[in-house]
Each structure stands twice: as structure tokens, then as C-alpha cells.
Amino acid sequence: MLIPALVLGPILLGFAALLIPRHAHGAAKVYGYVIALAVTIATIASASAPDATVRWLSRPFEAAFHLGWTGIGYWLAVLLAIVTLCALVAVRASRQRDFVASILVLEGAMMGVFAAKDLLLFALFWDLMLIPVFFILVGWGPAVATAWRYLLYNLVGGLTLLLATAAFGIAYGSTDVIGRTGVTPLGDVWAPWIFAGFALAFLVKTPVWPLHTWMPATYADLPPEVAAIVSAVQSKAGLYGFIVIGIPLFGSAMHAAQPLMFVLGLIALLYGGYIALVENDAKRVVAYSSLSHLGLILLAVFSGNDLALRGAFVYLIAHGLFSAALFLVLGYVERREETRLLDRLGGLGTRNPRLAGALVLPALAALGLPGLAGFAGEILILTGLYRAGYVWPAVIALIPVVLAAAYMLRVYQGMMHGPSVADLPERPDLNWVEGIALAPLVIAFVLLGIQPLPVANGLTFVAAQTATAQGPAPPPSPTPQVTWVTIPGSMGGWVLKQVVYPTQAPQK
């Protein structure tokens, strides 16, 4: 029952936090990071925890309250736990009790997304994780319009996800299919339309151009601690869905959508990198850089290449770590100087050397410095794309990789070593609490850069080979031939070795 406790525990304890007296800010903060620390330790220890299943529905299709880890789900859950812990250590907000309660509920809802092995349960947690972010934007953000834009965009995606889930359940007879071997993909009549519903929800959440317009304002208006969580983890839910739902269940539809996804991914890469290069708001620079980085991961997911996919898994975790660190540090700067506009900041490194050091490490990881986690993910993705024969996409993807160095150095150099601004207030340097909040993120992306193999290999995949659901089997379709191997020490999971897409449907 460890995994259900990781999902339901933070939600229930988040609501329990509302019992703390409203003005007991210190007690609320301690309560929050004690709970977050316990969740982090339990999440790391839950790698081999058994699944928990309770039958839920039998009509119009079978569904279950089924929670367990796929390999990539486990690593994203670990990322979520670490980032949430760091955010709660760093938190400094008004109405701190309510703020901590909202973050804990958000953590439990996102844990549910990565632990759900039933599509219907996945869809319900998908919508649930929107609610805490919406209320945080309303309660602590400067513009309510941003909250509504975030909610409406993501609710449309959530609705298509729910409709696609219901259609899948009716067509297949069960939605308890995530992480299950032997699931026969749907036939050509149903699969493209159902996949389109899933894909729209995943693309909105990632986000991918042109469905990204909710993202820059949301990241800029969220308190930095929550922006760290949303950027680092919630934005990965869509790519996670493509991996654990799209590849095993909709292989032929994924292959058919590959040209479109490559175009969208390349546009996101170039557009995000260019806007980050000219943006004046430091948080929006990181937001648009995330658009660019996630576009690169989208290319890898749809490449069908083993090496590129492994790189995507490493980069999912790497981006989460360094983007969370960047948002926390930029929050520290904004609290001190009361602005995050680059043309209003300069010379901070002379007065705040520890703050400068705290910014330079995640900035170097974001620009892909060899030895750090960002480089490990990028080089695996680009090499995999080239080996798979996608030479031009790989060449075009190099452009925003170079741009990343330009805009990250622009932020760091201008903010810390640019000309001093005379009217900036003198504020204290990075303190030990802020340093402790950043330390786990920095240590993690350094270790991942040195040794990415545990994340690249310790991943569970689902091979779609034989039917296990009750009822008549769907008609055959041109599904990918998938080779899976077991890697020792990889949590007993399957690791993708090769994907071959047939050009014709099998003969009856």
C-alpha cells in the first residue's frame, strides 16, 4: 500500500494543514517540509513496491483503481518529490498555511498521474492537478486572467483526454492497460481518432507551439516555488503520456503522426530559443527555453530510435532539475531586488557572490555544459536522431542548442556581471536556508550528468503483442514490431531495444 499512500497521503495531509492556525506561519512551513521529506524518502524507497488494485467499474467497460510504477513514472515521481521538498524549504509566501496546503495537494495529484495504471484514473488525476495551480494563481498571482487562461486551455485538453479514454474503454473493453504486457492495439478505424484525443491533451500540457500561449504568463505569474514544480514536473505529464500510452497502445498512429510532430517539435525548438534570446523578463526567458527544450524531447519520443528515446528520458529528468533550480534562484533575485527585468538588473554578483554561484550552475546545465545532465540528454537525443536517418531534424535542432548558450549567458552575465544599476537596493546574499533548498537539485543534475545510465536503463516499457482483455479482439492493424530486453538491476523492467514500423497491414 506504499504507492497509494504516496498519492493519497499528500492530498489528505494537505487538507489537514488547513487545521493549523492561520497565522502560525512557522508551524505551517515546518509541517510542509516534514511531510515533503517523508514523501521523498518513501518515493525513493518505493522502486520495487507492488501494485495496488481495486476494481472500480465493470460497465460500460472495466476500470480499476490501479496504482503502480512504470520505470519512467518512478523517476518522474522521484523528481516530483525532490522538487516539492526544495520548493517547500524555500517557500516564503503570504497566507503560508494555505500555500503549503495547496502545494501538498498538487504533489499528491501529480503523483497520481505518474502512478496511475488505469487510463480513467490517469485522466481523473490529470484534471485534479489543475485545481491547486488555478487557486494558487488566483490567490497569489498578479493577474486572475492568467489563471483562467491556464485553466481553460488545460481543461479543453483534459476533456479530450477523458473522451478519448471513454472511447478506448468502450472499444477495448477495459482501461486498465498502462504498463500491462500483451495489450493488442486497436484497429485502424478507432485508433487514429482516439489517439488524436490523447495527443491534443498531451500537446497542450507539454506545451507545444501553437498550444503554448498559456505557458509564459503562467510561469511568470506563479510564485517561484510553484513555477519550479509546474515547469519541472507538470509539463512532463504530456511527454510521459506519449511514452507510456502512445508507444505501447497507438504505435501505428504515432508513426503516422511523426511528420506533424517533427514539424511542431522543430518550430517549438526554434521559436522558443529565439524568444528566450530577446525576452526581457528573466522568468519568461526560462519559460521559453522550456518550450525549446521540450520540443527536442518531442522529436526524440516520435523518432522510434532507442538511443534518442533513452536521451529523452534522461533529458526529462535533467530539465526538471535545472529548470526548478533556475526558477528558485530567480525568485531569490526578485525578492531581493523587486524586479526580474534584465534591463533593470546588473552587477549583483559583486554584492551577492553566493547568489551568483547559485545561478551559474543551473544556467550551465541549461546551456548543455558537458558533464552536467543537460548535455547528457541532448547528446543522446541528437546522436539517436542522426543514427535513425533524421539528419536534417538533427541539424536544425543544433541551432537552438547553440542559442541556449546565448540566452543563458545573457541572463547570467547581464544580471550578475553587467553594469551596476545605481538604484538597486542593497540586500543580503544567499542565506543557508535558500542554499539548502537548492542543494538537492544541484547535486542531482551533477550526478545525472556524470552517470545518466540508471535513468536511461531503469525504465519500464510495455510491449503490445497479444490480447489479454475480455471480449472479441479488435481487427489487426499495422502495429510496430517491438523488441524488448530485460536489463539487470533496472527494477525488473523492460527496456526498449528496437522499433520497426511495417509498411502494410498484415494479411488476414
Side-chain angles (χ1 to χ4, degrees), residues 449-476:
I450 296 171
Q451 181 53 277
L453 196 61
V455 174
N457 280 350
L459 301 167
T460 302
F461 291 84
V462 183
Q465 295 172 349
T466 59
T468 58
Q470 297 178 356

Side-chain angles (χ1 to χ4, degrees), residues 425-445:
E426 288 280 352
R427 297 288 166 79
D429 203 355
L430 190 80
N431 60 49
W432 66 273
V433 174
E434 293 168 332
I436 288 174
L438 284 173
L441 301 172
V442 174
I443 292 170
F445 67 65

Side-chain angles (χ1 to χ4, degrees), residues 348-372:
L348 298 181
T350 303
R351 295 176 294 173
N352 304 97
R354 293 195 296 273
L355 188 63
L359 179 60
V360 71
L361 290 173
L364 290 174
L367 63 81
L369 182 73
L372 299 179

Side-chain angles (χ1 to χ4, degrees), residues 120-500:
L120 184 57
L121 191 63
F122 176 88
L124 294 177
F125 279 119
W126 182 278
D127 286 337
L128 179 61
M129 70 179 174
L130 305 179
I131 297 173
V133 178
F134 172 77
F135 282 113
I136 290 172
L137 280 168
V138 170
W140 289 270
V144 176
T146 301
W148 284 107
R149 185 185 299 118
Y150 166 84
L151 186 66
L152 290 175
Y153 263 88
N154 286 277
L155 274 182
V156 169
L159 178 61
T160 64
L161 177 64
L162 190 60
L163 292 174
T165 297
F168 181 92
I170 292 170
Y172 191 78
S174 174
T175 55
D176 188 10
V177 293
I178 299 177
R180 177 174 292 183
T181 58
V183 178
T184 301
L186 299 177
D188 291 337
V189 175
W190 283 88
W193 296 102
I194 296 176
F195 173 73
F198 283 110
L200 179 61
F202 298 157
L203 292 174
V204 169
K205 181 60 69 180
T206 298
V208 171
W209 181 94
L211 304 173
H212 72 287
T213 55
W214 63 269
M215 180 267 289
T218 299
Y219 287 9
D221 289 353
L222 279 171
E225 300 86 1
V226 184
I229 298 172
V230 174
S231 172
V233 191
Q234 194 174 104
S235 65
K236 309 301 185 296
L239 295 164
Y240 170 76
F242 279 125
I243 293 167
V244 300
I245 296 172
I247 291 176
L249 303 179
F250 300 98
S252 58
M254 290 269 289
H255 180 56
Q258 184 191 71
L260 173 62
M261 296 300 176
F262 267 39
V263 170
L264 295 179
L266 289 172
I267 292 175
L269 270 165
L270 295 170
Y271 174 77
Y274 173 75
I275 299 299
L277 191 61
V278 299
E279 178 60 60
N280 190 40
D281 185 323
K283 285 177 75 175
R284 286 177 179 260
V285 171
V286 180
Y288 280 107
S289 74
S290 295
L291 177 65
S292 183
H293 294 145
L294 296 175
L296 181 62
I297 300 174
L298 187 69
L299 295 182
V301 170
F302 277 85
S303 70
N305 177 265
D306 170 48
L307 189 61
L309 283 169
R310 290 173 186 258
F313 308 137
V314 173
Y315 207 35
L316 280 171
I317 307 302
H319 176 268
L321 294 168
F322 65 68
S323 68
L326 284 170
F327 275 113
L328 289 181
V329 176
L330 293 178
Y332 298 160
V333 172
E334 185 178 9
R335 275 199 293 263
R336 283 167 168 78
E337 310 304 336
E338 300 171 7
T339 183
R340 56 176 187 265
L341 299 180
L342 296 179
D343 60 4
R344 290 282 303 120
L345 293 167
L348 298 181
T350 303
R351 295 176 294 173
N352 304 97
R354 293 195 296 273
L355 188 63
L359 179 60
V360 71
L361 290 173
L364 290 174
L367 63 81
L369 182 73
L372 299 179
F375 175 80
E378 286 177 350
I379 195 66
L380 288 172
I381 291 173
L382 294 172
T383 304
L385 289 172
Y386 180 81
R387 286 186 178 181
Y390 303 116
V391 177
W392 280 110
V395 171
I396 294 172
L398 284 172
I399 298 173
V401 169
V402 174
L403 286 179
Y407 58 70
M408 279 295 135
L409 289 175
R410 171 175 168 259
V411 169
Y412 177 78
Q413 180 68 18
M415 188 180 293
M416 296 298 170
H417 300 296
S420 296
V421 179
D423 61 345
L424 282 182
E426 288 280 352
R427 297 288 166 79
D429 203 355
L430 190 80
N431 60 49
W432 66 273
V433 174
E434 293 168 332
I436 288 174
L438 284 173
L441 301 172
V442 174
I443 292 170
F445 67 65
V446 170
L447 292 178
L448 183 58
I450 296 171
Q451 181 53 277
L453 196 61
V455 174
N457 280 350
L459 301 167
T460 302
F461 291 84
V462 183
Q465 295 172 349
T466 59
T468 58
Q470 297 178 356
S477 61
T479 57
Q481 304 300 313
V482 186
T483 303
W484 308 89
V485 296
T486 302
I487 301 297
S490 65
M491 299 185 295
W494 293 87
V495 174
L496 178 65
K497 185 177 181 183
Q498 185 179 20
V499 179
V500 178

